[in-house]
Amino acid sequence: MMRRWPLLLPVLVFFVLVGFFIWRLVLMGQGDMPNMIPSVMIDKPAPDFELPPLLLNKPGLKTGDLQGRVTLVNFFASWCVPCRVEHPLLSQLAERVNLVGIVYKDKPEAARAWLAQLGDPYQALAQDSDGHTGIDFGVYGVPESYLIDKHGRIRYKQVGPFTPEDISGKLVPLLAELNK
Amino acid sequence: MMWIKAPVRGLAVLAFLLVLQGTAVAVQPNEMLQDPKLEARARELSKDLRCLVCQNQSIDDSDADLAKDLRILLRKRLVAGDSDAQAKQYLVDRYGDYVLLDPPFKASTVVLWVGPLLLLLVAVWLALSYARRRALGTVADAQAAPLNEGESRRLAALLKSEDK
């Protein structure tokens, strides 16, 4: 019987695989999707950029503006459907954090119309018309949001729209820590 | 072309489409660089860079907007005088090793590189030990105790009855 043990190996491999799949499914349930690319920008200073304003009565955005207080940089576009879904949550968030928006590869007039329709929760609004600043941040789809600490370092990246769970589970605790 | 029968015409259309498919590339003429040497370098580099939207296509293959932006950016870097390695690093700094379709060998990618080799070694070891066991089995059978008189007689009888 001793030399029969390798016959059990496929069974063992089967259960190891099942365990692995269950583990991944649980992680996916918690929002860790396999198509999300881990950001290399976390804990690095925000990239150098200077973008023109979208509106006449609101400033644009540059790297220097991200110093001194915790800021949430939100990349969005009027052509982006998930951004519309995310918008009410961002409006609520704007009461807790300095929220600034970067309009990613969009026509300015379309972005202005979008904000006029849905409301404008942003403290500053900048245009990234060629998407270059987006690439410098590591954006690969909109919406994406970056939480920047008081020293101008990226501390958190949200790929895709915020969900209420993301906000209560990840963003709010991190905000409390960074605002200390 | 009335005399061409429908199936033949269908085949001709198919052949034409196949030819077209072979030449379809994502790179648009207006993205290409004037300098053919630089353009060739850009094409080679972008074959090794992953489109982050489609994730299993290179930016050379992909029609995604971001892939186009990355192709243009890559060409800008080359025109600015970047070496191939510098241009690649520029994107790795922003998107991580994930952007490389041929990831480098380092601590975080050990499983990726060594995993298949380990599996192969395990498989070879299992196959060898199985083969050895079988060989041992046959030897053991050959060395089994010889038949006693009763057994030989029965065997002879059985063989005889089978001959009929």
Side-chain angles (χ1 to χ4, degrees), chain A:
Chain A
M1 278 311 280
M2 269 302 284
R3 63 185 209 205
R4 288 272 175 243
W5 73 265
L7 286 182
L8 286 176
L9 205 69
V11 182
L12 194 74
V13 168
F14 172 77
F15 280 109
V16 167
L17 280 179
V18 166
F20 180 75
F21 293 151
I22 290 176
W23 176 61
R24 282 304 312 175
L25 278 176
V26 168
L27 283 185
M28 272 172 71
Q30 294 166 356
D32 179 7
M33 303 305 276
N35 59 350
M36 285 195 184
I37 303 165
S39 177
V40 285
M41 299 298 287
I42 302 294
D43 291 335
K44 292 208 181 126
D48 270 331
F49 68 95
E50 181 162 7
L51 292 175
L54 176 77
L55 305 173
L56 288 172
N57 56 356
K58 235 173 221 185
L61 199 65
K62 58 182 188 300
T63 313
D65 302 339
L66 301 174
Q67 295 279 342
R69 59 178 165 172
V70 182
T71 303
L72 186 66
V73 180
N74 176 238
F75 283 85
F76 72 99
S78 68
W79 46 262
C80 150
V81 178
C83 299
R84 195 171 277 265
V85 176
E86 181 183 56
H87 189 270
L89 281 172
L90 281 179
S91 306
Q92 287 172 27
L93 261 180
E95 294 161 15
R96 295 167 158 249
V97 64
N98 178 37
L99 177 69
V100 296
I102 296 182
V103 182
Y104 179 75
K105 299 196 74 170
D106 202 357
K107 293 194 192 82
E109 58 272 27
R112 280 182 211 118
W114 194 81
L115 289 164
Q117 188 200 347
L118 295 175
D120 173 8
Y122 299 100
Q123 299 300 315
L125 273 166
Q127 304 179 49
D128 182 17
S129 29
D130 62 0
H132 199 126
T133 299
I135 289 174
D136 283 345
F137 267 89
V139 169
Y140 64 95
V142 273
E144 273 189 26
S145 302
Y146 296 80
L147 190 66
I148 319 277
D149 69 13
K150 290 173 187 164
H151 311 288
R153 272 192 318 242
I154 298 174
R155 298 300 293 271
Y156 173 76
K157 174 181 181 181
Q158 173 78 21
V159 176
F162 274 111
T163 63
E165 292 78 28
D166 291 328
I167 290 175
S168 59
K170 297 175 193 160
L171 198 66
V172 168
L174 192 57
L175 269 177
E177 187 197 319
L178 295 181
N179 275 321
K180 254 181 222 166

Side-chain angles (χ1 to χ4, degrees), chain B residues 28-75:
Chain B
Q28 303 295 308
N30 61 358
E31 294 172 21
M32 292 182 184
L33 297 174
Q34 296 290 322
D35 181 347
K37 257 193 201 156
L38 273 186
E39 176 61 24
R41 269 174 68 201
R43 290 297 303 274
E44 275 313 304
L45 275 176
S46 47
K47 278 175 192 155
D48 284 338
L49 293 166
R50 187 196 298 270
C51 165
L52 297 120
V53 180
C54 343
Q55 304 200 348
N56 272 331
Q57 272 188 310
S58 72
I59 60 170
D60 193 54
D61 284 337
S62 173
D63 276 321
D65 244 18
L66 183 66
K68 183 187 166 88
D69 292 348
L70 291 178
R71 284 196 299 269
I72 292 171
L73 190 67
L74 184 71
R75 283 166 173 76

Side-chain angles (χ1 to χ4, degrees), chain B residues 75-131:
Chain B
R75 283 166 173 76
K76 273 189 193 160
R77 300 304 312 171
L78 291 181
V79 169
D82 271 16
S83 71
D84 287 2
Q86 281 169 327
K88 257 188 189 177
Q89 191 57 42
Y90 182 86
L91 285 176
V92 171
D93 286 344
R94 284 154 183 77
Y95 292 104
D97 289 336
Y98 193 86
V99 79
L100 303 172
L101 282 169
D102 187 8
F105 186 85
K106 53 189 200 184
S108 56
T109 57
V110 160
V111 179
L112 192 66
W113 282 102
V114 181
L117 197 67
L118 271 181
L119 276 181
L120 183 69
L121 284 179
V122 168
V124 166
W125 175 71
L126 280 178
L128 282 182
S129 65
Y130 177 73

